[in-house]
Amino acid sequence: MGIADWEIVIGLETHAQLNTASKIFSGASTAFGAAPNTQASAVDIALPGVLPVLNRGAVERAIRFGLAVGGAIAPRSVFARKNYFYPDLPKGYQISQYELPVVSGGGLKIKVSLPDAAGEKFIRLTRAHLEEDAGKSLHEDFHGRSGIDLNRAGTPLLEIVSEPDMRSAEEAVAYAKALHALVRWIDICDGNMQEGSFRCDANVSVRPKGSTTLGTRREIKNLNSFRFLQQAIEYEARWQVERLEDGGRVEQATVLFDPASGETRAMRSKEEAHDYRYFPDPDLLPLEISPSWIDEVKAALPELPAAMKARFERDFRLSAYDAATLTASRETAAYFEQAATQGNAKLCANWIMGELAARLNREEKDIVASPVGAAQLAGLVVRVADGTLSSKMAKEVFDALWNGEGTNADALIEAKGLKQISDTGALEKIIDEVLAANPKSVEEFRAGKEKAFNALVGQAMKATKGKANPQQVNDLLRKKLGA
Amino acid sequence: MIDAGLRELAAALAGKRISSVELVTQFLDRIAGRNPQLNAFITVDPEKTLAMARSADARLARGEGGPLTGIPLAHKDIFCAEGWLTTCGSKMLSNFVSPYDATVIERFKAAGTVTLGKTNMDEFAMGSSNETSFYGPVKNPWDMAAVPGGSSGGSAAAVAARLTPAATGTDTGGSIRQPAALCGLTGLKPTYGVVSRWGMIAFASSLDQGGPMAKSAEDCALLLNVMAGFDARDSTSLERPAEDYARDLEEPLAGLRIGLPKEFFAEGLSADVAQAVEAAIAEYRRLGAVTVEVSLPNMKLSVPAYYVIAPAEASSNLSRFDGVRYGHRAPQYDDLIDMYCRSRAQGFGAEVKRRILIGTYVLSHGYYDAYYLQAQRIRRLIAADFSQAFKSCDLIMGPTSPTVAFDLGARAADPVQMYLSDIYTIAVNLAGLPGMSIPCGFGAGKRPVGLQIVGNYFEEARMLNVAHQYQRATDWHVRAPEL
């Protein structure tokens, strides 16, 4: 047997930090990067006597998520205490949701490669629940001691739990990317993975192909990049397969991924031997969400990527691929839509996915900060579509727009004298002159030398300083030569 | 002035017959003379007290005083008070100076009262005799060989000994009513949610409620007027219109239906207490009330249910005392776990440890359903019993405590015997109802007996009216111990 004889089964637990201004149970700011412990209020440091008060903004975001994934929003959910001791957990318990989460079910489609011909797979979600983040322990710079920074303590998180529906590291990454795009699309999380705003735990198990029972899983904690997610799952799956093929057993465990070595390592059993003693938090009333609140959130929800993709295919006659690429982020979709309603949609799509994407990528700019705005691009595309600009000229105009040499394509075309000559009368006159000046080429062409035709086209283009529409030059020449 | 009620004191202050500084000085002198014996105060800080009195005098001079401006009060050391040592009767917090005010403290400050000091209490409010305090037992002013009751024993002893005109207390299973009974005072535990718990160090969050302890029902009404009210910082605080708890004091009692639960007058009630309580009920009949027998069939389950729920919540609430951020930290330790173990082993007393162990056990995996969930079911049954009883009566009356104050040390070795001190009070907390105790005579050893009055939810004004009418007709509440 080898790895190809095994099926990998993966479920992800994703922590998305909700982009509320203040914490989930206190009024302290959630902004990243402040000096240690300057954003920790009395509640966050768990002084004696303090009490939590739920941030409605966090709940509103959870509802938004539930609606976006087609999950059920619980009319009544409960906050529970998860009890354990750790220095960066000031209360000695984390407030989370246990038995009754705010969102249940739902799911999202991901793009997959083989063997699914449709190229899409639906990943089911188990649940999503609200909870607070812990602080951070800092072990460097304290000479054998540890520092505790409680700025992050109490930051709102939505823990999104998938069913074990993924069968490869690629699928897991595709799911994580789709989820990442979605939480940003509905504006509940900034998605900043370096700052830990979006991080995944992967539950991985393997089983012989054809088996229907799940193998014993190990949970890889805290993967904060798509690359690490991919590497960690690949390593972990290989490790499990090798172990099983060697006649060993996989013990349920929590493991950490070391990006330096690319390996996973089990935590000491002491680190994970917890009985969390969950019970409903008596400081918080059950969270009640009325149908009218859900309706309010629904009304304010932006068009979702799947719906927008379908609409782009239908209304702008885009291919599934183009529509998917253009709806990868809400900003790109908005840019496209603005441009496409003013110009040729297919051409706009090509320009956005081609020249614009390359340029943005090269200069590390976001599309919202693009020097060439959607209206400007549309203006350019209009001139390409009507034949005013050749593609070479269009690139020149695009560069000029990017560099801020002008505010719109038409003005730049005028200023730079880039107008393609499409006036048949003017072109005919030039072609007549070219034919008169190059009798040798005309003769050669008539004798059947196709090369001579190209030479005549070249002369005509030269005579117009490249401004002639090459197609038109071709057509006119052939007409004149009676070909 | 030491025996005067709050209205009399307020009138003297308003009429400039005495200044707040003079009044406060009288009480500070009494504290200095008698506290060494009684041990009712943990912290007295005359400088702070006199500064508050001076500012109250200035406020009175400007004509901006309210009904309680300039009146001295003592606060149970469970309430966080900015700049004051706030110990909760524990070595764990023996170094904790609160950086903030509890809502109750904030409200009294706004009313212009003057803090005489912080009163002794059972450690983290766990006890019925004030013997579990790290700061040593409090003596009962009526008999120095007797306990004052607990956990608000310091507040009770201080009021009884006229070291303060009135005090605050908290009641989780009887901690206001039982010491009020044992020290011959009037004490009121409001409906759960009426007084904010913000800044009141949590013992069992779903049961804890602050309330007044004073010489009369009228004084309790005036104090509750300040203490009660919605607080957005406490999610279990109830949003209701403000009310004047003194408004019905003078209403006649004719037609009042008093329910007498047969379970309150059964085995376990000592004869001397039964006699005094029955005499009080006879007095009520003379005042125009009628009595009806009611039944609380599940009351016998209240003590076992309480000793599951309260320790469960406490085990979690007390997890924040880990030596990391404030409070006691062991001077020497090997590693993190050792620091936790030593700090908590040294910082907590035996009764607190017992309850943390019980609470941890009942929440543990495999025991949760059998203990915690079962106790919650009993809690609902008890609330239903009361609701049934209130269909045939306006108020319920019975003994507050099965015996008069017991001797210091008498029950210290037998926790179950100690827990039974609260057999009549605990059910009221489990149901979240308001309860009070008023003095109604003396029993064995000339120690005071308390009559318990239990009302339906939000019936505090009626209960105070009923207590006040009794106090107009009798003089038990004006008797003071000879010291």
Side-chain angles (χ1 to χ4, degrees):
Chain A
M1 281 176 86
I3 189 131
D5 301 312
W6 296 81
E7 182 173 54
I8 307 167
V9 178
I10 306 155
L12 292 190
E13 290 171 24
T14 307
H15 288 91
Q17 183 180 314
L18 299 175
N19 56 0
T20 52
S22 62
K23 293 184 177 178
I24 185 165
F25 299 119
S26 85
S29 165
T30 53
F32 181 83
N37 297 311
T38 56
Q39 292 184 356
S41 71
V43 171
D44 305 319
I45 64 174
L47 284 183
V50 298
L51 297 167
V53 175
L54 180 60
N55 180 340
R56 278 175 67 90
V59 179
E60 192 265 335
R61 283 162 178 79
I63 297 172
R64 234 186 278 170
F65 179 79
L67 291 171
V69 297
I73 315 287
R76 184 175 174 279
S77 61
V78 170
F79 286 98
R81 293 184 182 179
K82 178 180 180 178
N83 295 282
Y84 65 97
F85 285 96
Y86 205 70
D88 61 22
L89 187 73
K91 294 187 294 297
Y93 57 84
Q94 178 197 29
I95 305 177
S96 181
Q97 295 191 304
Y98 184 55
E99 283 183 335
L100 296 170
V102 63
V103 174
S104 307
L108 66 168
K109 277 183 193 162
I110 61 167
K111 281 192 272 183
V112 291
S113 42
L114 292 167
D116 189 328
E120 273 188 347
K121 180 168 175 176
F122 187 75
I123 306 297
R124 294 168 300 154
L125 297 183
T126 315
R127 60 187 277 167
H129 67 254
L130 286 162
E131 63 182 29
E132 58 178 340
D133 208 344
K136 277 180 187 160
S137 297
L138 310 163
H139 301 295
E140 291 130 32
D141 309 329
F142 291 95
H143 312 286
R145 300 168 133 218
S146 291
I148 307 293
D149 178 5
L150 297 176
N151 281 352
R152 200 181 64 183
T155 298
L157 299 176
L158 189 67
E159 181 175 333
I160 304 153
V161 183
S162 84
E163 290 289 305
D165 281 355
M166 287 148 280
R167 295 290 176 268
S168 67
E170 290 74 22
E171 284 187 12
V173 170
Y175 162 77
K177 283 186 172 166
L179 190 61
H180 184 253
L182 180 68
V183 296
R184 292 175 66 227
W185 187 284
I186 59 174
D187 194 24
I188 64 169
C189 170
D190 68 17
N192 191 320
M193 297 179 81
Q194 264 121 46
E195 291 174 5
S197 299
F198 186 91
R199 50 191 201 262
C200 297
D201 301 337
N203 285 295
V204 179
S205 65
V206 297
R207 61 185 174 193
K209 280 207 171 139
S211 165
T212 51
T213 54
L214 288 169
T216 305
R217 70 189 155 86
R218 303 212 307 168
E219 182 182 12
I220 316 168
K221 280 280 187 199
N222 248 333
L223 298 161
N224 66 352
S225 87
F226 297 126
R227 193 160 53 89
F228 293 164
L229 178 64
Q230 170 121 13
Q231 288 173 355
I233 292 171
E234 281 170 354
Y235 178 88
E236 177 63 25
R238 266 200 316 275
W239 183 90
Q240 290 187 18
V241 165
E242 278 167 25
R243 194 169 175 87
L244 292 169
E245 291 194 342
D246 289 348
R249 284 181 44 181
V250 173
E251 305 280 350
Q252 187 162 337
T254 304
V255 305
L256 295 174
F257 175 68
D258 176 11
S261 65
E263 295 176 359
T264 56
R265 164 186 82 77
M267 293 170 82
R268 281 177 291 136
S269 58
K270 206 173 158 189
E271 290 172 304
E272 54 161 331
H274 286 307
D275 176 351
Y276 291 118
R277 291 171 283 124
Y278 282 100
F279 74 107
D281 191 333
D283 286 333
L284 291 161
L285 302 176
L287 167 58
E288 288 184 349
I289 299 175
S290 64
S292 66
W293 191 6
I294 296 174
D295 288 345
E296 232 170 82
V297 176
K298 198 183 271 173
L301 203 64
E303 186 181 14
L304 295 172
M308 202 179 258
K309 175 176 173 281
R311 185 164 62 80
F312 283 4
E313 290 178 43
R314 189 179 66 237
D315 292 0
F316 297 115
R317 311 218 160 269
L318 295 187
S319 69
Y321 177 84
D322 286 0
T325 308
L326 291 168
T327 53
S329 84
R330 206 165 140 192
E331 292 76 19
T332 306
Y335 188 103
F336 165 74
E337 192 155 26
Q338 197 196 333
T341 47
Q342 296 170 35
N344 177 303
K346 177 62 192 162
L347 264 179
C348 285
N350 289 347
W351 272 86
I352 291 166
M353 295 184 296
E355 191 66 21
L356 181 69
R359 198 62 184 265
L360 289 170
N361 193 32
R362 193 156 68 235
E363 302 199 9
E364 292 182 356
K365 280 194 158 73
D366 195 88
I367 195 158
V368 287
S370 170
V372 181
Q376 292 175 313
L377 188 79
L380 172 67
V381 165
V382 166
R383 293 297 161 239
V384 175
D386 71 7
T388 306
L389 292 176
S390 67
S391 61
K392 193 167 156 243
M393 288 169 175
K395 284 200 174 112
E396 203 177 316
V397 174
F398 180 85
D399 282 346
L401 286 169
W402 185 279
N403 296 327
E405 290 167 35
T407 52
N408 68 74
D410 285 349
L412 280 164
I413 290 165
E414 199 63 46
K416 288 181 169 277
L418 283 170
K419 206 164 192 156
Q420 190 167 251
I421 302 168
S422 302
D423 177 340
T424 317
L427 258 185
E428 257 180 284
K429 196 170 156 246
I430 292 166
I431 284 168
D432 287 342
E433 283 166 18
V434 167
L435 291 175
N438 296 282
K440 202 177 158 208
S441 295
V442 172
E443 216 166 298
E444 280 174 6
F445 174 74
R446 293 223 159 103
K449 272 180 119 179
E450 193 61 24
K451 250 191 183 170
F453 182 80
N454 292 339
L456 289 167
V457 171
Q459 288 300 321
M461 293 305 287
K462 198 174 162 190
T464 60
K465 298 193 179 103
K467 289 182 209 163
N469 183 331
Q471 190 57 47
Q472 222 173 345
V473 169
N474 251 294
D475 294 348
L476 280 172
L477 262 176
R478 287 196 188 277
K479 200 173 116 195
K480 298 254 172 202
L481 292 167
Chain B
M1 300 298 283
I2 59 155
D3 289 310
L6 300 184
R7 271 197 173 134
E8 200 183 334
L9 290 176
L13 286 162
K16 309 273 191 286
R17 292 193 293 282
I18 193 167
S19 70
S20 179
V21 168
E22 287 163 347
L23 183 61
V24 157
T25 305
Q26 280 190 21
F27 284 104
L28 285 174
D29 288 348
R30 286 185 67 82
I31 293 169
R34 290 165 179 79
N35 194 55
Q37 264 180 295
L38 289 168
N39 199 27
F41 284 86
I42 291 173
T43 304
V44 181
D45 189 335
E47 225 170 274
K48 276 200 190 77
T49 302
L50 288 167
M52 288 176 87
R54 280 191 293 274
S55 103
D57 280 334
R59 189 169 155 183
L60 287 163
R62 290 195 304 272
E64 293 166 8
L68 295 183
T69 306
I71 287 176
L73 292 179
H75 295 298
K76 186 176 182 179
D77 209 19
I78 200 167
F79 289 104
C80 287
E82 190 181 341
W84 290 78
L85 189 66
T86 299
T87 70
C88 224
S90 180
K91 180 180 179 181
M92 183 56 88
L93 290 177
S94 56
N95 62 359
F96 179 69
V97 176
S98 178
Y100 80 106
D101 279 330
T103 299
V104 163
I105 300 290
E106 204 177 77
R107 286 174 154 266
F108 276 121
K109 269 189 178 172
T113 67
V114 177
T115 304
L116 281 171
K118 304 293 291 293
T119 59
N120 205 342
M121 56 182 285
D122 279 299
E123 186 179 8
F124 286 106
M126 298 177 190
S128 308
S129 68
N130 223 302
E131 292 169 294
T132 72
S133 170
F134 172 66
Y135 295 90
V138 177
K139 310 285 166 49
N140 190 321
W142 291 94
D143 185 337
M144 301 298 265
V147 301
S151 65
S152 311
S155 287
V159 178
R162 307 300 192 251
L163 305 189
T164 178
T168 53
T170 61
D171 190 317
T172 304
S175 284
I176 286 175
R177 291 160 288 159
Q178 185 255 18
L182 271 47
C183 289
L185 304 179
T186 303
L188 169 65
K189 179 205 94 75
T191 306
Y192 183 81
V194 163
V195 171
S196 168
R197 295 185 297 114
W198 173 261
M200 200 177 99
I201 299 174
F203 159 19
S205 312
S206 73
L207 302 161
D208 296 342
Q209 187 61 198
M213 302 176 79
K215 297 190 291 285
S216 69
E218 181 180 52
D219 286 0
C220 281
L222 298 175
L223 293 166
L224 190 59
N225 278 347
V226 176
M227 296 177 84
F230 174 68
D231 180 5
R233 291 171 298 190
D234 174 1
S235 306
T236 62
S237 169
L238 297 162
E239 209 164 353
R240 313 183 75 246
E243 53 180 304
D244 175 9
Y245 292 99
R247 67 182 186 271
D248 293 334
L249 289 178
E250 305 304 336
E251 293 294 312
L253 299 188
L256 177 76
R257 293 173 305 159
I258 297 172
L260 303 174
K262 58 182 184 196
E263 294 81 4
F264 276 29
F265 297 90
E267 201 194 325
L269 179 61
S270 63
D272 55 339
V273 172
Q275 201 184 353
V277 168
E278 274 153 20
I281 289 160
E283 180 63 36
Y284 270 109
R285 288 196 196 95
R286 270 191 294 280
L287 291 170
V290 293
T291 56
V292 287
E293 191 187 88
V294 294
S295 177
L296 301 170
N298 293 293
M299 205 196 74
K300 60 182 180 297
L301 300 174
S302 64
V303 171
Y306 176 87
Y307 279 97
V308 169
I309 292 167
E313 293 182 9
S315 70
S316 177
N317 282 334
L318 270 58
S319 293
R320 69 187 58 200
F321 305 114
D322 57 5
V324 174
R325 300 167 316 288
Y326 53 79
H328 177 73
R329 184 191 290 186
Q332 280 165 343
Y333 48 85
D334 296 333
D335 56 18
L336 176 65
I337 301 292
D338 194 42
M339 185 194 87
Y340 284 149
C341 293
R342 285 175 194 254
S343 299
R344 288 168 65 84
Q346 294 164 10
F348 292 139
E351 184 61 27
V352 171
K353 286 177 191 163
R354 179 175 6 253
R355 298 204 196 184
I356 290 175
L357 283 172
I358 294 170
T360 303
Y361 179 84
V362 300
L363 289 177
S364 296
H365 187 70
Y367 297 98
Y368 178 78
D369 290 11
Y371 290 102
Y372 187 80
L373 286 185
Q374 187 71 356
Q376 292 292 7
R377 273 178 223 120
I378 292 171
R379 193 171 180 172
R380 286 193 289 274
L381 291 177
I382 287 167
D385 279 359
F386 276 109
S387 147
Q388 182 63 32
F390 282 124
K391 284 179 182 162
S392 58
C393 63
D394 302 313
L395 294 166
I396 285 167
M397 285 190 191
T400 303
S401 172
T403 65
V404 293
F406 43 91
D407 286 349
L408 279 156
R411 296 185 189 174
D414 186 349
V416 173
Q417 200 55 38
M418 185 73 88
Y419 297 167
L420 290 173
S421 306
D422 296 325
I423 187 161
Y424 303 127
T425 50
I426 276 174
V428 177
N429 298 77
L430 289 171
L433 292 165
M436 69 186 294
S437 183
I438 58 173
C440 68
F442 293 87
K446 295 191 173 144
R447 295 175 183 178
V449 175
L451 172 75
Q452 184 175 211
I453 305 171
V454 181
N456 211 336
Y457 300 106
F458 310 115
E459 287 287 303
E460 286 85 354
R462 188 76 196 275
M463 293 158 68
L464 288 160
N465 156 236
V466 166
H468 180 69
Q469 290 305 309
Y470 177 80
Q471 291 179 340
R472 284 192 56 185
T474 60
D475 68 349
W476 303 115
H477 66 293
V478 298
R479 310 248 187 125
E482 283 167 30
L483 279 170

